[in-house]
């Protein structure tokens, strides 16, 4: 039992029930708006890792034997429960992550899209059948689940990212072990309770709280068949290399440095609105955030003035709101992360950038100890600066002035990331050329955050994606199933009775 001096400890979900940790290791969970420690989260030891994986393996053996109709009924029940109780989940996200409640609700709804896709899974896991491929021989394929699959999710989307993977994996007959971020772990347990209420058997959805030890436990376990990950590029590469070396399927989505190319014919009011939305929504904690505006001259001065004017009207505060009024932007998740974001502004300034709007040292009255960082606008950012080349993951929008479409395109294509990008223009020919020539996985045309809908797939190019498949969509169902091709011959009863058959032939089978 927790007291004011001993915060509650957030444990695991193993075997269909809450499981208190006995590891003796914990990490703090903050309220980002106040800076106070509101809980401790358990960090699993090897015994708990083994227990979680074993429970998932047992759950898989039960769940994979369920009929498609029974599995589908559980998916529909989960969808309805999530839809009816999404408000409480949004508030839970805000309490640990800090994003405003409406943004948390948007995260849930985008995850819900994947749940809805998963409810239609029977069509997506069908095999194929070719009758009489050779005389009297039929060839067909079936798709079967992998087994126990691991999902490692980031702090910035504690619900949406798990829902990118878990509903599809579960629909296909797998059991999921989710390792959420230790910074905001409670939403994962909330989802586990909802899955159980929807009728999912024990062990099919497991929550393993932890740090690198838990991650490595999943990567090295011979029982875990695949790993799905979203996070920074260095960790994505580590997960891809380690899991692949251990014979697992991997989809590891890494970092980004997303550019918005603004052509001179673009509607600058639209551009300014969308640059603010895409740069500062969720305090910039999005792998799809726009962090660089490539302004094709002569539009930069006018555009910067419009963006700065809009920044001045933003309300920064507790994401939960006050007196029924919600701010536009909440805090960052920890003081360590806030200070890291601040260091990038220092770097940019030292490298010659102009700080047009400075968010460093931002204080919210009544929340002086919160982890706030104000929206920041930089101009003349050198492309050699680490503030340009590295992912900042905070509310910092950089403007780089270019002289032409070709110069802007070359900057995007020369970067090590290839996650998302956008072009703003009223020229359809330029937009069509851009979508063909840009070396990026997700492209917006007058759309700043081009996250695909659930029936397409999410994923970038280059160092933004490591592994076998993108997230959700058809890629997701292919990733979480493996195919068997079956060649079958049944002799006709009349032929069998007469003793006719093909005879002995030691050559390689041929269709003659």
């Amino acid at each position: 039992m927790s007291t004011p001096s001993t915060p509650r400890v957030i444990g695991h979900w193993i075997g269909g029930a809450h499981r208190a940790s006995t590891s003796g290791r914990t990490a703090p969970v903050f309220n980002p708006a106040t800076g106070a420690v509101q809980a401790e989260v358990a960090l699993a030891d090897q015994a708990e890792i083994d227990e979680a994986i074993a429970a998932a393996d047992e759950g898989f053996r039960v769940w994979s034997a369920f009929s498609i109709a029974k599995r589908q009924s559980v998916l529909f029940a989960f969808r309805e429960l999530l839809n009816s109780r999404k408000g409480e989940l949004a508030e839970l996200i805000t309490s640990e992550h800090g994003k405003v409640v409406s943004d948390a609700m948007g995260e849930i709804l985008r995850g819900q899209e994947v749940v809805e896709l998963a409810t239609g899974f029977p069509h997506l896991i069908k095999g194929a059948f070719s009758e009489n491929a050779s005389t009297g021989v039929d060839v067909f394929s079936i798709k079967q689940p992998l087994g126990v699959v691991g999902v490692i999710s980031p702090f910035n989307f504690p619900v949406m990212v798990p829902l990118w993977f878990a509903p599809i994996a579960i629909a296909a007959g797998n059991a999921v072990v989710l390792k959420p971020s230790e910074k905001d772990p409670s939403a994962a347990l909330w989802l586990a309770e909802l899955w159980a209420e929807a009728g999912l058997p024990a062990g099919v959805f497991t929550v393993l709280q932890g740090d690198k030890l838990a991650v490595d436990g999943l990567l090295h376990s011979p029982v875990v068949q695949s790993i799905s990950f979203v996070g920074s590029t260095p960790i994505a590469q580590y997960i891809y290399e380690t899991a692949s070396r251990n014979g697992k399927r991997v989809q590891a989505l890494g970092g980004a440095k997303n550019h918005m190319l603004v052509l001179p014919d673009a509607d600058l009011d639209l551009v300014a609105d969308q640059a603010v939305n895409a740069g500062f929504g969720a305090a910039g904690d999005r792998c799809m955030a726009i962090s660089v505006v490539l302004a094709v001259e002569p539009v930069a001065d006018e555009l910067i003035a419009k963006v700065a004017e809009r920044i001045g009207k933003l309300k920064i505060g507790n994401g939960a709101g006050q007196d029924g009024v919600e701010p536009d932007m909440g805090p960052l998740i920890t003081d360590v992360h806030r200070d890291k974001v601040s260091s990038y502004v220092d770097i940019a300034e030292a490298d010659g950038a102009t700080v047009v709007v400075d968010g460093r040292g931002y204080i919210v009255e009544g929340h002086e100890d919160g982890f706030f960082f104000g929206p920041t606008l930089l101009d003349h950012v050198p492309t050699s600066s680490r503030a340009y080349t590295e992912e900042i993951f905070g509310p910092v929008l950089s403007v780089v002035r270019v002289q032409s479409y070709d110069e802007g395109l070359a900057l995007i294509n020369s970067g090590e990331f290839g996650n998302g990008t956008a072009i703003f223009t009223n020229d359809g020919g330029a937009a069509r050329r851009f979508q063909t020539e840009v070396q990026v996985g997700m492209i917006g045309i007058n759309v700043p955050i081009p996250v695909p809908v659930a029936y397409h797939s999410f994923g970038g190019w280059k160092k933004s994606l490591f592994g076998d498949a993108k997230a959700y969509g058809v890629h997701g169902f292919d990733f979480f199933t493996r195919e068997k091709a079956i060649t079958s011959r049944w002799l006709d009863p009349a032929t069998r009775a007469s003793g006719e058959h093909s005879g002995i032939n030691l050559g390689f089978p041929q269709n003659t």
Side-chain angles (χ1 to χ4, degrees):
M1 183 175 183
S2 62
T3 69
S5 59
T6 59
R8 65 187 176 92
V9 177
I10 299 168
H12 315 292
W13 180 273
I14 298 175
H18 287 282
R19 162 74 156 78
S21 176
T22 57
S23 71
R25 299 192 309 128
T26 62
V29 177
F30 294 96
N31 180 330
T34 67
V37 175
Q38 58 181 327
E40 296 281 336
V41 61
L43 302 177
D45 60 16
Q46 191 60 51
E48 291 168 347
I49 295 166
D50 294 341
E51 180 187 357
I53 294 171
D57 192 34
E58 185 176 342
F60 163 68
R61 297 177 193 285
V62 173
W63 178 242
S64 59
F66 272 40
S67 69
I68 285 176
K70 286 184 178 180
R71 275 190 260 156
Q72 193 174 32
S73 70
V74 172
L75 267 293
F76 273 113
F78 180 81
R79 177 202 179 276
E80 294 306 309
L81 288 168
L82 180 60
N83 190 53
S84 66
R85 294 170 53 188
K86 57 184 180 286
E88 67 183 77
L89 180 56
E91 292 176 0
L92 180 61
I93 294 170
T94 296
S95 71
E96 291 185 347
H97 176 274
K99 66 178 68 177
V100 300
V101 173
S102 61
D103 193 38
M105 183 67 75
E107 167 185 349
I108 296 166
L109 293 177
R110 290 310 298 263
Q112 176 101 331
E113 288 182 12
V114 183
V115 178
E116 290 169 352
L117 173 73
T119 62
F121 78 92
H123 172 68
L124 295 166
I125 63 167
K126 289 188 304 185
F129 194 99
S130 296
E131 183 182 21
N132 221 35
S134 185
T135 305
V137 175
D138 303 324
V139 179
F140 58 97
S141 61
I142 59 175
K143 293 184 178 181
Q144 295 183 323
L146 302 180
V148 177
V149 301
V151 175
I152 304 167
S153 65
F155 71 82
N156 61 325
F157 289 107
V159 167
M160 184 181 74
V161 168
L163 292 182
W164 279 0
F165 303 112
I168 293 175
I170 288 170
N174 300 282
V176 173
V177 179
L178 169 63
K179 207 299 285 184
S181 169
E182 56 270 40
K183 295 181 176 68
D184 44 7
S186 295
L189 294 175
W190 192 97
L191 291 174
E193 292 176 350
L194 208 70
W195 278 114
E197 189 174 342
L200 194 68
V204 183
F205 186 83
T206 297
V207 177
L208 178 66
Q209 309 287 6
D211 52 9
K212 186 176 183 296
L213 183 63
V215 170
D216 286 341
L218 295 174
L219 298 182
H220 290 284
S221 169
V223 177
V224 177
Q225 300 299 306
S226 72
I227 297 290
S228 302
F229 170 83
V230 176
S232 69
T233 284
I235 305 302
Q237 188 163 1
Y238 168 77
I239 283 174
Y240 171 66
E241 292 173 352
T242 306
S244 297
R245 192 164 57 245
N246 287 314
K248 304 182 193 309
R249 289 188 179 184
V250 188
Q251 44 185 180
L253 285 67
K257 194 71 178 183
N258 304 322
H259 295 68
M260 173 192 288
L261 180 60
V262 181
L263 301 191
D265 71 323
D267 182 325
L268 293 188
D269 286 313
L270 172 66
V271 172
D273 286 342
Q274 299 307 317
V276 169
N277 292 342
F280 306 124
D285 277 343
R286 296 170 174 161
C287 68
M288 289 296 285
I290 290 295
S291 54
V292 178
V293 173
L294 297 173
V296 178
E297 294 290 28
V299 304
D301 286 340
E302 183 181 357
L303 178 58
I304 287 168
K306 289 178 180 291
V307 171
E309 177 190 9
R310 285 159 171 79
I311 290 175
K313 298 176 182 178
L314 295 179
K315 301 186 295 293
I316 317 302
N318 186 341
Q322 188 171 358
D323 300 326
V325 178
E326 184 179 271
D328 298 299
M329 195 178 89
L332 296 174
I333 194 162
T334 64
D335 55 348
V336 173
H337 186 56
R338 176 200 59 201
D339 294 346
K340 181 180 180 182
V341 172
S342 185
S343 73
Y344 277 107
V345 181
D346 297 341
I347 289 168
E349 191 172 33
D351 289 342
T354 302
V355 182
V356 180
V357 180
D358 194 345
R360 290 172 291 186
Y362 197 95
I363 301 295
V364 173
E365 185 178 352
H367 293 80
E368 288 79 8
D369 293 326
F371 308 137
F372 292 94
F373 191 91
T376 298
L377 179 62
L378 306 175
D379 187 17
H380 298 291
V381 178
T383 56
S384 59
S385 174
R386 286 176 52 213
Y388 171 79
T389 59
E390 297 179 9
E391 184 176 36
I392 297 176
F393 221 58
V396 179
L397 186 62
S398 299
V399 176
V400 174
R401 298 167 183 247
V402 295
Q403 299 304 311
S404 66
Y405 164 92
D406 289 323
E407 183 183 352
L409 178 71
L411 277 176
I412 299 172
N413 286 348
S414 65
E416 65 176 338
F417 303 109
N419 206 44
T421 190
I423 185 171
F424 277 74
T425 179
N426 285 314
D427 187 330
R432 190 171 188 276
R433 180 181 169 190
F434 182 75
Q435 73 186 33
T436 301
E437 295 177 338
V438 72
Q439 296 172 16
V440 172
M442 293 172 284
I443 302 157
I445 298 173
N446 298 317
V447 173
I449 304 180
V451 176
V453 292
Y455 39 89
H456 288 268
S457 296
F458 180 102
W461 285 16
K462 298 189 279 190
K463 287 190 176 180
S464 292
L465 177 68
F466 300 85
D468 303 309
K470 294 184 176 183
Y472 61 77
V474 174
H475 278 241
F477 283 96
D478 288 343
F479 182 81
F480 287 116
T481 57
R482 51 187 156 203
E483 187 177 79
K484 288 179 178 176
I486 301 163
T487 303
S488 171
R489 174 169 57 198
W490 294 100
L491 295 179
D492 183 274
T495 303
R496 189 171 67 247
S498 67
E500 296 178 21
H501 53 76
S502 59
I504 295 173
N505 184 342
L506 301 186
F508 196 83
Q510 300 178 43
N511 180 13
T512 57

